[in-house]
Amino acid sequence: MTGALAPVKPLTALDRCDRCGAQAYIRATLPVGGELLFCAHHGRQHIAALRDKGADILDESARLSEPSIIAPND
Ligand SMILES: [Zn+2]
C-alpha cells in the first residue's frame, strides 16, 4: 500500500453487483479500504447506510436509461 489515491475508474460491464451478480452501477469505497459494487436496485438499499459510515459513493445509475433493464431476481 503506497497510500496514493487510486484514480476513479468508471464502472464497466465487467463490474458485478456483490449481492445478485447483475451489472454494477454503484460503487462504494469504504474509508477503511475495500469497495463494494451494487446494481441500481441493491445500491438504493445500501447506499444510505454506507454513506453514514463515510463511504465514498460513485453512482452511475443515471446511465440506466434503458427501460428494459429489470432485475429478474430480488
Ligand atoms: Zn444487485
Side-chain angles (χ1 to χ4, degrees):
M1 297 295 286
T2 63
L5 289 174
V8 176
K9 296 177 295 184
L11 293 165
T12 73
L14 296 177
D15 290 309
R16 295 288 156 178
C17 174
D18 289 338
R19 290 292 186 271
C20 70
Q23 185 173 344
Y25 285 94
I26 296 170
R27 176 168 59 211
T29 303
L30 304 175
V32 295
E35 62 184 30
L36 299 171
L37 297 173
F38 297 109
C39 64
H41 176 80
H42 286 112
R44 290 193 184 95
Q45 290 184 349
H46 297 285
I47 286 313
L50 288 165
R51 274 210 177 99
D52 284 347
K53 295 176 182 175
D56 185 35
I57 309 298
L58 173 68
D59 185 346
E60 296 191 355
S61 61
R63 294 192 305 164
L64 277 174
S65 57
E66 298 290 331
S68 62
I69 296 179
I70 299 173
N73 301 310
D74 189 13

